[in-house]
Amino acid sequence: MAQEEPRYQLVKDFILNGINAKQWKEHKRVPSENELVEMCKVSRMTARRALDELTEEGVLYRVQGRGTFVAPKKLHSPLLEIRNIAEEIQNRGSSYSNELILLQKESCPVHLLKHFSLNEGDEVYHSIMVHKEDGKPIQIEQRYVNPTAVPEYLKQDYKSITPNVYLSKVAPLTEAEHEIQAKEADPFMKVTLKLQELEPVLCIDRITWSDTTLVSYCQLYHPASRFSLTGRFKTKHQLTEL
Amino acid sequence: MAQEEPRYQLVKDFILNGINAKQWKEHKRVPSENELVEMCKVSRMTARRALDELTEEGVLYRVQGRGTFVAPKKLHSPLLEIRNIAEEIQNRGSSYSNELILLQKESCPVHLLKHFSLNEGDEVYHSIMVHKEDGKPIQIEQRYVNPTAVPEYLKQDYKSITPNVYLSKVAPLTEAEHEIQAKEADPFMKVTLKLQELEPVLCIDRITWSDTTLVSYCQLYHPASRFSLTGRFKTKHQLTEL
DNA sequence: TTTTTTTGGTTGTATATACAACCCAGTTTA
DNA sequence: TAAACTGGGTTGTATATACAACCAAAAAAA
């Protein structure tokens, strides 16, 4: 069991523990590469790799000639955490429950045919679920699942394990694409989420891949004004053109 | 001028050129580390760094024991394109115009002090602008700019060139962070964007950096229901837990 | 034929070393 | 006093080397 961790990971953990234990606070210096060499008994390149990766992950920032410092805390893509909604809710001391509205096989909606690389009439799995915090509905989840990638999707019991937790087990996520909109609520949403008149919903569309196969297309609806759900993320791609 | 590029960057460019020139196509192998050592006359560690970074950037993927391969092409964060709103509007055949509401120096709002690493009373540049499509307002842009990074910000003529285009010239973007919300509209927005009663706005907060210096904090407001603005982006972080 | 072993190639981790680039504070010099 | 220099510490880049982990195909054995 317990795969032996590489040594740079141990150094990373060493730093992360120090940060969590408030030993090193925001904008304060963490041990230099050479200090880590002595403290952790590794070579400088290994210590460096640990610091490099933590920098890449946004935990640290480095200034040539001065040192390596704890970066101000950023929420780490809470947009992604939204998915683990059960955990999220429990973490803030509420009780999580859900209601399964629909779980069936049906022919793929035309607007998703190209996404799933299917032909008209081919079937996909479709589920609709309402997630609740202390009994109050806070999210509608509609999901279309690729039956080839997840043949057992319909046979699960989603009382205890949410669809995305199950999916992540059978088809480990390698990529996700999101689209965010504020939308008018349709009648179903209004009733289900107990929205006020004209209250919009914040809609997150998410497409997920496992390697190169598309696993699921998912829409999440939140009452926008009541919860003011926020998603934060970083980009670090080709920003040259902006 | 022309800062000499590090050698690992040359190797990265070598690979990227090969991909662009269709020399290596999707899922095809690129030269191995040892081959790059000979082809580019660098050490293996340098070649490795180039491949590692391109992998991190999503350009390549690696399989231990087999080789390094060209990753399938993905959409490149169109959310970012929203910024070039003038171009966006012209591209869909409409006419772009804008109205400058405010452009001044003022003391930094307290909630931004930590972002800009400033002390109470220090000054920042502040601008508010309305972007219009065929005369109809479609976006309010409020922006706070770091005067150290962009000292000439107040002296520009923003009729012809939008703030973000100007900023991208004087302080090339290296990183951006976004936060997205659906919000109630305040009276100014209601009037300016000609919103209906209770119509929400989609708000995009964006913080941009040039290297390690924060350049600007920007808020973009769109009438959500009328335009149903969408932003799409990719994540490629720790997706293992989902 | 089928299974097992070997072998060569590739990526992954780790170390030791060297020098460049840079920052800052203390020292020297004008 | 003020400017210029210096030195020590830090990060950034680069090389050479070694071995582990892994894969695929070839070779050997059953």
Side-chain angles (χ1 to χ4, degrees):
Chain A
M1 199 65 51
Q3 260 291 32
E4 191 180 347
E5 279 190 311
R7 308 186 61 169
Y8 66 82
Q9 186 61 49
L10 300 179
V11 179
K12 287 177 72 173
D13 293 338
F14 176 75
I15 300 287
L16 287 170
N17 288 335
I19 293 175
N20 285 335
K22 314 274 184 188
Q23 186 175 355
W24 304 302
K25 301 187 180 169
E26 294 188 8
H27 299 294
K28 296 303 177 190
R29 231 201 65 182
V30 299
S32 73
E33 296 174 358
N34 285 321
E35 287 165 344
L36 285 173
V37 166
E38 296 217 343
M39 297 166 84
C40 297
K41 307 296 179 195
V42 296
S43 74
R44 190 191 149 205
M45 292 307 286
T46 301
R48 180 174 181 72
R49 172 166 182 174
L51 295 178
D52 269 347
E53 291 194 2
L54 289 173
T55 300
E56 180 66 23
E57 293 165 16
V59 177
L60 305 174
Y61 65 94
R62 320 190 75 180
V63 182
Q64 186 172 17
R66 291 186 54 199
T68 305
F69 305 86
V70 180
K73 219 176 278 166
K74 305 271 169 66
L75 303 177
H76 30 312
S77 301
L79 187 57
L80 302 178
E81 294 177 25
I82 292 166
R83 314 169 186 192
N84 238 322
I85 189 162
E87 200 177 304
E88 184 97 355
I89 287 174
Q90 282 155 5
N91 280 351
R92 59 184 182 212
S94 306
S95 78
Y96 168 80
S97 62
N98 66 49
E99 183 183 348
L100 192 60
I101 306 287
L102 182 146
L103 180 63
Q104 66 179 23
K105 182 163 65 174
E106 63 181 55
S107 58
C108 181
V110 285
H111 68 284
L112 293 179
L113 285 174
K114 55 187 171 304
H115 278 130
F116 282 103
S117 303
L118 293 178
N119 299 316
E120 197 147 0
D122 289 345
E123 291 183 316
V124 292
Y125 300 149
H126 183 194
S127 64
I128 300 178
M129 172 173 271
V130 180
H131 299 281
K132 301 181 180 183
E133 174 172 12
D134 291 336
K136 278 191 298 187
I138 58 163
Q139 184 186 82
I140 299 174
E141 170 192 317
Q142 170 166 234
R143 192 182 287 273
Y144 293 93
V145 173
N146 183 348
T148 311
V150 194
E152 306 292 310
Y153 183 71
L154 295 183
K155 299 178 186 168
Q156 303 310 309
D157 173 21
Y158 292 117
K159 277 293 166 215
S160 51
I161 186 173
T162 60
N164 85 62
V165 171
Y166 170 66
L167 289 176
S168 67
K169 282 188 180 172
V170 296
L173 218 51
T174 55
E175 192 142 10
E177 192 173 291
H178 296 79
E179 182 169 331
I180 300 175
Q181 292 178 280
K183 284 184 182 174
E184 268 187 88
D186 65 26
F188 170 72
M189 296 178 201
K190 280 183 188 171
V191 171
T192 306
L193 295 175
K194 301 189 173 118
L195 301 174
Q196 297 174 338
E197 195 60 27
L198 287 183
E199 182 177 343
V201 287
L202 189 63
C203 170
I204 300 179
D205 284 17
R206 188 195 314 141
I207 305 174
T208 54
W209 285 266
S210 185
D211 292 327
T212 55
T213 59
L214 189 148
V215 173
S216 109
Y217 173 85
C218 170
Q219 293 180 304
L220 305 173
Y221 296 96
H222 304 78
S225 56
R226 253 190 299 163
F227 280 87
S228 111
L229 170 75
T230 70
R232 179 175 295 217
F233 58 96
K234 263 189 347 181
T235 55
K236 51 172 183 174
H237 304 296
Q238 319 79 323
L239 297 179
T240 50
E241 298 238 344
L242 306 175
Chain B
M1 201 65 53
Q3 262 291 36
E4 191 180 348
E5 278 190 312
R7 307 185 63 170
Y8 67 81
Q9 186 60 50
L10 300 178
V11 179
K12 288 177 70 173
D13 292 339
F14 175 75
I15 300 287
L16 287 170
N17 288 335
I19 293 175
N20 285 336
K22 314 273 186 190
Q23 186 174 353
W24 303 304
K25 299 185 180 170
E26 294 187 9
H27 299 293
K28 296 303 177 190
R29 230 201 65 181
V30 299
S32 73
E33 297 172 358
N34 285 322
E35 287 166 343
L36 284 174
V37 167
E38 295 216 345
M39 296 165 85
C40 295
K41 308 296 179 194
V42 295
S43 74
R44 189 191 151 206
M45 292 307 287
T46 301
R48 180 173 180 72
R49 172 164 184 176
L51 295 178
D52 270 346
E53 292 194 3
L54 289 174
T55 300
E56 179 65 25
E57 293 164 18
V59 177
L60 305 174
Y61 65 94
R62 321 190 76 180
V63 182
Q64 186 172 17
R66 292 187 53 200
T68 306
F69 306 85
V70 179
K73 219 177 279 166
K74 297 288 163 53
L75 301 179
H76 32 308
S77 300
L79 183 59
L80 302 177
E81 294 177 25
I82 294 166
R83 314 168 185 194
N84 238 322
I85 189 164
E87 201 177 301
E88 184 97 354
I89 287 174
Q90 283 154 5
N91 280 350
R92 59 183 182 215
S94 305
S95 78
Y96 168 81
S97 62
N98 66 48
E99 184 184 348
L100 192 61
I101 306 287
L102 181 147
L103 181 63
Q104 67 179 22
K105 182 163 65 175
E106 65 182 54
S107 58
C108 182
V110 285
H111 68 283
L112 294 179
L113 285 174
K114 55 186 171 307
H115 278 128
F116 282 104
S117 305
L118 293 177
N119 299 316
E120 196 148 359
D122 289 346
E123 290 182 318
V124 293
Y125 300 149
H126 183 196
S127 64
I128 299 178
M129 171 174 273
V130 180
H131 298 281
K132 301 181 180 183
E133 175 173 13
D134 291 336
K136 279 192 297 189
I138 59 165
Q139 184 187 81
I140 298 175
E141 170 192 318
Q142 171 168 233
R143 193 182 285 274
Y144 293 93
V145 173
N146 182 347
T148 311
V150 194
E152 306 292 310
Y153 183 71
L154 295 183
K155 298 179 186 169
Q156 304 308 311
D157 174 20
Y158 292 117
K159 278 293 165 213
S160 52
I161 186 172
T162 61
N164 85 63
V165 171
Y166 170 66
L167 288 176
S168 67
K169 283 189 179 172
V170 297
L173 220 50
T174 56
E175 192 146 9
E177 191 174 293
H178 297 80
E179 182 169 331
I180 300 176
Q181 292 178 279
K183 285 184 181 175
E184 271 187 85
D186 65 26
F188 169 72
M189 297 178 200
K190 282 184 186 170
V191 172
T192 306
L193 295 175
K194 299 187 174 120
L195 301 173
Q196 296 174 340
E197 195 60 24
L198 287 183
E199 183 176 342
V201 287
L202 188 64
C203 171
I204 300 177
D205 285 16
R206 189 196 312 141
I207 306 174
T208 54
W209 285 266
S210 186
D211 292 326
T212 56
T213 58
L214 188 149
V215 173
S216 108
Y217 173 85
C218 171
Q219 293 179 304
L220 304 174
Y221 296 96
H222 305 78
S225 57
R226 253 189 300 164
F227 279 89
S228 105
L229 171 75
T230 71
R232 179 174 294 218
F233 59 95
K234 264 192 340 184
T235 55
K236 50 167 184 176
H237 303 299
Q238 319 80 321
L239 296 180
T240 50
E241 299 236 344
L242 305 176

